[in-house]
Amino acid sequence: MNLARSCAFLIVGAAWISMAAESPAPASLPFTLEALENVAGQMPGTPKLQSFAWAEWDGKWIFIGGRTTGYHGVGAAEADFPRAGSNDRIWVVDVTSKGQAKTYSMPIAQLPASLATVKDQWMSSNPLFYQDKNTLYLAGGYGENAHGKWVTYPVLSSVNLPALVEGVMRGSDTFSETIAWANSPFVQSAGGDLLKLDDGMFYLAGGHVFT
């Protein structure tokens, strides 16, 4: 299931919004936004993230990568993407129970040292991603690595979602053995699109290479 390519927007811990044609807008704006329902109270502990990869498994939402602070234009050059503002946790939000959703997380640093490359990539901004059944694929992404170098990652990684969800909800690494990764300049991109077409092949389209 291609979770990231629909024409819907998900705002976690904020409000559901829609285009409202009823209210007149200033001549310079083609649309207005109207808050229909504030669901923040139903989702305690959910993270404030942007530019992340996400998937869904068995009613649980998974969030990897992205940023916890900032937006374009607040700094200069790489100052918009310091490692200090990177999302350094793997998040699982369980929305299957009645009432409030339950939020779980685990530090990326808890993964083994042998996955240092993946750990850096999973803290990047704007990684390309695609969910193929029970596997989440992440390609590229941009950010500051553990050595202070700014990188557009030439990395493709994958993880088994059932194992990841179970591990994060338990608060322990029971899934790193399902993580696979490879280096390739063909996946070095940030902000592009990762697709799987009917021919069974994966395709990378667009994006930027900053370094």
Side-chain angles (χ1 to χ4, degrees), residues 184-201:
S184 172
F186 297 113
V187 297
Q188 188 177 27
S189 178
D193 212 354
L194 185 63
L195 307 167
K196 184 179 182 182
L197 301 186
D198 292 340
D199 61 4
M201 301 291 289

Side-chain angles (χ1 to χ4, degrees), residues 50 70-77 79-81:
Q50 60 148 319
Y71 51 88
H72 287 292
V74 299
D80 286 334
F81 302 93

Side-chain angles (χ1 to χ4, degrees), residues 4 12 22 26 61 69 82 96 110 119 137 146 158 180 197:
V12 178
E22 297 82 2
W61 301 343
T69 60
T96 60
Q110 199 168 325
K119 291 160 73 172
Y137 295 90
S158 66
L197 301 186

Side-chain angles (χ1 to χ4, degrees), residues 65-192:
R67 303 195 55 74
T68 61
T69 60
Y71 51 88
H72 287 292
V74 299
E78 291 89 351
D80 286 334
F81 302 93
R83 190 174 178 89
S86 297
N87 172 30
D88 60 1
R89 306 184 74 87
I90 304 166
W91 295 87
V92 172
V93 181
D94 184 358
V95 295
T96 60
S97 59
K98 294 182 179 179
Q100 293 184 337
K102 296 181 180 179
T103 300
Y104 306 85
S105 71
M106 192 187 93
I108 291 173
Q110 199 168 325
L111 296 177
S114 59
L115 292 174
T117 299
V118 172
K119 291 160 73 172
D120 273 343
Q121 185 207 25
W122 284 18
M123 289 178 61
S124 69
S125 179
N126 289 290
L128 291 65
F129 61 98
Y130 185 91
Q131 180 178 349
D132 187 23
K133 298 179 181 177
N134 67 351
T135 302
L136 176 63
Y137 295 90
L138 296 94
Y142 176 74
E144 185 181 6
N145 68 16
H147 304 289
K149 182 179 179 181
W150 301 95
V151 181
T152 304
Y153 291 96
V155 176
L156 176 66
S157 61
S158 66
V159 63
N160 178 271
L161 288 170
L164 181 144
V165 167
E166 180 181 2
V168 172
M169 292 179 69
R170 289 184 177 183
S172 60
D173 172 24
T174 59
F175 59 88
S176 62
E177 63 182 15
T178 75
I179 296 174
W181 67 277
N183 278 309
S184 172
F186 297 113
V187 297
Q188 188 177 27
S189 178

